[in-house]
Amino acid sequence: MALYLLWLVTTALALAGAWGVLVYLRRREAYFQSVQAILRAPLEIDEFAGQAQTLCESCTQETGASGCSLYLQPGEQESGFRRAAQAGRPAEETGPGVVRDLLNQAWDTGQSVESNYGGRWLAAVPVWPGHLGGGALLVTWDSNRAPGKVERGLLEATATVASLLAPRFAREGALARAHEELQALHVEIAEESHLAGVGRLAAGVAHELNTPLGAVLTMVGSLSRTVQDPSSARRLQIMRDAVEKCKAIIEKLLVYSRGPIETERGLTFSRFVRASTDLNRTIESCVELMRENLSEAGISVSLDLGEIPEFRANTTQWSHVFNNLLVNARDALRSGGTADPRIQVRTRSDRERIQIEISDNGPGIPPEVLSHVFEPFFTTKDIGHGTGLGLAIVREVVRKHQGAIQVKSEPGAGATFVIQLPLQQDFESTPAARPEARA
Ligand code: ADP
């Protein structure tokens, strides 16, 4: 009887063992079949997202996990992990800090990391560590129990497959970036040619108007010398002011226009002359010129001017830039009813560039206006108050110095204009640059 019982127990144990092995093998086989299908798929870059998704789904299913995510490092320009695929419940439910720590640990050590947080078990397995497109696979179980040998084995296998997919992600990332850059370039070229057209038109109109306006001014001048009647003298003065205003607008158009302009005194490049310039001094003198006007409006100005190197620039053009930005900030603060109206100018520099920030705490720029502010002739100011050329000129001057300008603004939280200027300027590459370089 005892012998029979012993035989029964050992047979049962053997059968259970064989069953376990069979289940394990079948699970592995089913799993590897799905994985093989992924790997056999053609190396289509567009397929990456779908393949990664299938991998995460089968990993969740086979390991009995509540969720599985594949995180990858997008590239040299971006740091940190990006979630490339997700199945089941996301690991972030445990807390983003926890996820980041586990991913970093797996990435840095190249080893699997496991941890238990608030009733969930998390395991991070490195994927193609040390390479662009590499990352980690993060799997969560809704239990305090550590995953068994089978689950761990499947997880390692999934990470190996993900490592084979990762280079596709790197390629996809590089292609996507190249595509984005091309699109941005395309938009810029279209804008550039539009602006060049407007610039040529502006230069032509300015030139055509300058001569007759000059004649009107001369006539008004000679009439005012002969006229005795005070009322006529006052009218002539009004005419002179109006013509002067027109000439000032034309002067703005000339700054905006791209090429050399023919004036009464012949062809001139003078507005393009560049010399070694201290932009901090230019800012200080612009602020000084406007100080009285600003304090009359109750606006305080603070200057935080860091040490910046001398910059090859056209001082007149930069005076226009700072003046336009300060006038805009003043107008915004005047209109907005800000309790403590302030303008701040900040300059900084590193070895490669100079950064200039002009910010105000005015009403800010609404999103529907923000995308148009640099367009020539765009203004929200009343007739007679705005020409819509200020920021177009600013951007043009910044471009002529091979820099970039950005505006950041939230309605109700002021506006900040940020100018970045490269210290190494390539004069040959800008069409308007040759005469400047010569000067
Ligand atoms: P203008 O000053 O003649 O209107 P600009 O090109 O200088 O022309 O400015 C275009 C528009 O941008 C302004 O009409 C205004 O709506 C908006 N803007 C510019 N600077 C600011 C600022 N600091 N705060 C709020 N709005 C601004």
Side-chain angles (χ1 to χ4, degrees):
M1 182 65 188
L3 214 60
Y4 176 69
L5 269 177
L6 189 68
W7 174 81
L8 210 64
V9 168
T10 46
T11 310
L13 278 174
L15 277 175
W19 177 251
V21 169
L22 198 70
V23 168
Y24 171 65
L25 286 176
R26 286 189 67 175
R27 269 178 71 184
R28 287 204 78 151
E29 199 195 323
Y31 180 62
F32 281 118
Q33 264 174 11
S34 66
V35 160
Q36 258 178 8
I38 294 171
L39 287 176
R40 269 201 301 266
L43 271 166
E44 281 298 324
I45 288 167
D46 302 348
E47 290 289 301
F48 169 79
Q51 291 166 338
Q53 182 65 29
T54 313
L55 190 67
C56 286
E57 274 162 18
S58 54
C59 178
T60 314
Q61 212 177 338
E62 301 304 326
T63 58
S66 59
C68 169
S69 315
L70 176 63
Y71 293 85
L72 295 173
Q73 301 259 11
E76 289 137 351
Q77 287 159 6
E78 284 177 67
S79 60
F81 292 94
R82 196 177 102 195
R83 197 165 68 191
Q86 158 68 38
R89 287 173 56 195
E92 278 79 4
E93 281 181 18
T94 321
V98 172
V99 170
R100 198 179 46 239
D101 287 353
L102 277 174
L103 292 174
N104 282 336
Q105 232 177 308
W107 177 259
D108 292 344
T109 59
Q111 306 280 327
S112 302
V113 191
E114 286 181 17
S115 214
N116 185 358
Y117 288 94
R120 300 185 93 194
W121 197 278
L122 286 88
V125 190
V127 165
W128 208 37
H131 293 83
L132 192 64
L137 197 72
L138 190 59
V139 181
T140 49
W141 289 269
D142 285 341
S143 96
N144 281 317
R145 201 172 54 83
K149 219 171 162 186
V150 178
E151 281 83 13
R152 284 204 176 100
L154 290 174
L155 206 55
E156 295 286 346
T158 312
T160 311
V161 178
S163 295
L164 297 170
L165 294 178
R168 300 184 199 181
F169 175 77
R171 275 174 59 200
E172 186 192 39
L175 265 185
R177 272 198 302 280
H179 186 65
E180 266 171 33
E181 273 167 29
L182 263 179
Q183 267 190 328
L185 208 62
H186 187 74
V187 170
E188 209 168 296
I189 287 169
E191 221 174 280
E192 186 77 16
S193 77
H194 168 73
L195 285 173
V198 177
R200 270 196 300 277
L201 181 75
V205 171
H207 175 57
E208 290 299 319
L209 288 180
N210 240 351
T211 319
L213 281 177
V216 173
L217 216 53
T218 318
M219 294 301 148
V220 170
S222 66
L223 275 176
S224 354
R225 279 193 293 279
T226 54
V227 81
Q228 303 291 330
D229 166 29
S231 140
S232 305
R234 209 179 56 250
R235 284 180 191 175
L236 283 172
Q237 186 57 44
I238 293 170
M239 278 173 76
R240 185 202 286 268
D241 290 348
V243 176
E244 293 284 6
K245 205 167 178 183
C246 292
K247 282 191 92 64
I249 293 174
I250 285 169
E251 196 45 48
K252 279 191 179 179
L253 284 174
L254 293 181
V255 176
Y256 177 72
S257 67
R258 323 207 115 216
I261 305 295
E262 202 183 340
T263 67
E264 290 95 326
R265 275 172 250 122
L267 210 63
T268 175
F269 294 115
S270 63
R271 68 177 57 81
F272 299 122
V273 173
R274 288 184 192 183
S276 206
T277 305
D278 181 345
L279 289 177
N280 278 344
R281 295 290 83 75
T282 313
I283 292 171
E284 278 172 341
S285 53
C286 283
V287 170
E288 209 40 57
L289 279 174
M290 279 191 69
R291 200 172 281 283
E292 208 177 300
N293 182 287
L294 292 171
S295 68
E296 268 169 21
I299 300 167
S300 61
V301 190
S302 69
L303 298 183
D304 172 10
L305 306 179
E307 206 171 302
I308 58 174
E310 297 256 309
F311 181 71
R312 265 195 85 70
N314 179 304
T315 318
T316 319
Q317 288 180 343
W318 281 94
S319 300
H320 276 289
V321 167
F322 300 130
N323 206 47
N324 285 336
L325 293 173
L326 290 168
V327 166
N328 278 343
R330 179 204 65 192
D331 291 350
L333 287 166
R334 264 188 190 158
S335 70
T338 312
D340 169 28
R342 268 175 288 121
I343 299 176
Q344 193 187 27
V345 187
R346 188 172 179 274
T347 57
R348 288 291 180 271
S349 156
D350 59 22
R351 258 188 271 164
E352 280 165 19
R353 64 181 66 83
I354 294 174
Q355 178 157 315
I356 304 161
E357 281 180 29
I358 300 194
S359 47
D360 63 75
N361 61 345
I365 309 174
E368 65 278 12
V369 170
L370 199 64
S371 52
H372 298 290
V373 291
F374 292 107
E375 282 172 17
F377 307 109
F378 174 85
T379 181
T380 56
K381 295 177 190 169
D382 294 338
I383 296 172
H385 288 275
T387 57
L389 279 171
L391 289 178
I393 289 171
V394 168
R395 183 166 71 169
E396 203 48 25
V397 173
V398 172
R399 275 196 185 170
K400 278 178 177 157
H401 292 78
Q402 291 166 14
I405 179 163
Q406 272 188 319
V407 53
K408 295 184 262 181
S409 180
E410 296 278 334
T416 301
F417 287 84
V418 183
I419 297 172
Q420 306 245 21
L421 296 168
L423 288 173
Q424 290 290 327
Q425 290 185 64
D426 170 15
F427 287 108
E428 294 308 314
S429 71
T430 27
R434 255 164 268 128
E436 295 158 10
R438 208 181 50 184

